[in-house]
Amino acid sequence: MPELTWQKSTYSAEAANCVEIAATPTTIHIRDSKTPAGPHLTLRPTVWVYFLSHAPDASR
């Protein structure tokens, strides 16, 4: 597996308590920024898109 490039939401600023994602062409990886060496979830991109379509919009 190639090295993952983790990103925080722009809403998180420098906060240490947020979710980070790393995307590859075939998987989306999700982890807790407080425990970067801990376990993470791995989803198919279609599942991630489904999740995002049902998540509340934080900008409202």
Side-chain angles (χ1 to χ4, degrees):
M1 175 187 296
E3 175 123 9
L4 298 173
T5 303
W6 293 95
Q7 300 176 358
K8 290 183 188 181
S9 167
T10 56
Y11 290 106
S12 298
E14 294 300 318
N17 55 346
C18 61
V19 173
E20 296 176 317
I21 67 161
T24 73
T26 58
T27 55
I28 304 296
H29 304 267
I30 307 165
R31 72 179 182 186
D32 182 343
S33 65
K34 293 186 301 287
T35 55
H40 66 268
L41 298 173
T42 302
L43 306 174
R44 292 185 324 267
T46 54
V47 174
W48 179 243
V49 168
Y50 181 81
F51 168 77
L52 291 178
S53 72
H54 291 84
D57 183 351
S59 65
R60 291 186 203 178

